[in-house]
Amino acid sequence: MTGPSCAIKDNHAKRKLFWGVLVPILLAAAIIALPAQEGLSMKGQTAIALMVAAVFVWIVEPMAVALSTPLFILLQVPLGLCTLPEAMQSFTGPLFLFLFIMFCMATAMKHSGITHRIALYMTIRSNGSPRRLIVYFVCMAALLSTVVADIPVAVMMLPICLTVLEKNNLDVRGSNFGSAMLIGIAIASLLGGIGTPAGSAMNMLAMQLLSNNAGINISFLEWSALCMPMVVLLTPVIAWACCVLVPSEIKELRGIDELRKEYDALGPLTSREIKFLVIFILNLIFWYTDKLHHIPMQVTSMVAVALFALPGIDIFDWKRDCREINWDPIMLVSGSVGLATTLWKTGAATYISDTFLGMFASTPLTMLIVILAAFTMLIQLLIPSAAAVIAVLGAPLIALAEAHGLPPAALVLSLGICSSAAVLTPISANYLIMCKSGYARIKDIYRIGIPVCIAWIVVLVAVMSTIGRALGFM
């Protein structure tokens, strides 16, 4: 490595150590050293200090999130915030297991080959129309990500997109079609993630906070009944924004005949694809009927993954696939629940609610949801971690609701739904995956993303005021 390269690397490391280690320590120490605040215990003050430090470390990442998160969970013990069993209970609970299982299931879907078949079929059905292909891919991304995490969906769809772009010899930096298609898939996978609890870790995080701190348990069917209509209504908006606001520079796609030959070569559904579909559909049925049989989602999902791994089925292989499981979001989301629960138990959440959110107590509920939704979307430009945003705001919102007679479910669900709308955040994982190809342009993220965000808020208010009210969330 050359001298200048070493110097750049050293400077980068020093900045990370300063902002990711020294600054969080100083901030935490300063908060703990503050004079006693009225309505806030010393434990509550310490809990806030720990949460602030954690958010800084999560953003700067001086070490892997999979390491820093359990560190902060365990630091609660010497700081006197909880015992070791209490810390571990809030961290390695049902949410942790479900997130792990969902990453295993996404890996199984990838290796089943079914997503590649669907993507090829959609490409052929476009008949060479760039607009039609964007619409099909946006719909496919939105649909798949309702039951599989958004990031794996983006990863699975990227190769076929790049194949189409390369066959048409499009300019990597100057193609409207390439940029619109990849950004559309990224946004659609974020949108689809809100459709069911399985679609995004943020959904499960919001549900867990409501269960732990407000005693409100939301079923798989109830969440889906509220959010699937949002997916259906907003998917056309994304497709419209991609096709109209970033118009394609080409009128017809080349290479469709070659892709048709590739699709024909696949033949009928393979035994592996059929096995995957049968097990996955049975699992979906159990998810949607959890209030009838009372078997937790974690149990039915783990049974499905175990079936995928059985000899003779061989869709999921732990030795091969364990490297594809991303532990960072699993640790981050589970740790967020643990730290947020501590904010609640120490009274820090109530203090934050009274001090910073009390001014909104008299705001009409509909307007409060609009403000909360817009704030959640915009704050991710500064704090590009949806889990951190929910962890910081979730418990205080519940405290605000209980203190002023507001429905906690309406506020926390709105927070969870809009935390997935990282549409204006260029460094979100979905965009980073697409931008690596060079086709997706940041200016198009805002060109497409701003109208999508506005529509997202409008549809959220409409759905929450109707379906949410009918389900007892308002």
Side-chain angles (χ1 to χ4, degrees), residues 272 275 307-317 320:
R272 176 184 288 257
K275 291 170 187 174
L307 290 174
F308 289 143
L310 282 178
I313 297 179
D314 297 318
I315 298 174
F316 183 81
D317 183 298
R320 177 196 66 197

Side-chain angles (χ1 to χ4, degrees), residues 79-204:
L79 290 173
L81 298 175
C82 61
T83 64
L84 181 59
E86 288 171 340
M88 296 310 297
Q89 182 180 8
S90 64
F91 178 52
T92 57
L95 177 59
F96 180 93
L97 181 60
F98 188 73
L99 294 175
F100 166 72
I101 293 169
M102 291 314 301
F103 272 96
C104 293
M105 198 166 288
T107 304
M109 175 179 280
K110 173 186 173 183
H111 289 298
S112 73
I114 194 69
T115 51
H116 181 66
R117 178 184 291 272
I118 295 172
L120 277 176
Y121 177 75
M122 291 293 184
T123 306
I124 294 166
R125 291 290 297 174
S126 71
N127 291 323
S129 167
R131 277 195 170 196
R132 194 177 295 130
L133 183 60
I134 288 176
V135 172
Y136 286 167
F137 274 5
V138 164
C139 291
M140 178 182 171
L143 179 62
L144 287 177
S145 59
T146 59
V147 288
V148 180
D150 50 7
I151 296 174
V153 169
V155 170
M156 286 186 281
M157 292 190 66
L158 182 60
I160 191 67
C161 292
L162 294 181
T163 299
V164 172
L165 295 172
E166 288 164 5
K167 285 183 181 295
N168 285 271
N169 298 316
L170 297 176
D171 180 13
V172 172
R173 296 293 178 185
S175 172
N176 277 8
F177 170 69
S179 183
M181 180 169 63
L182 296 183
I183 290 171
I185 290 171
I187 297 176
S189 60
L190 289 171
L191 169 65
I194 71 172
T196 74
S200 171
M202 301 309 110
N203 305 345
M204 296 299 298

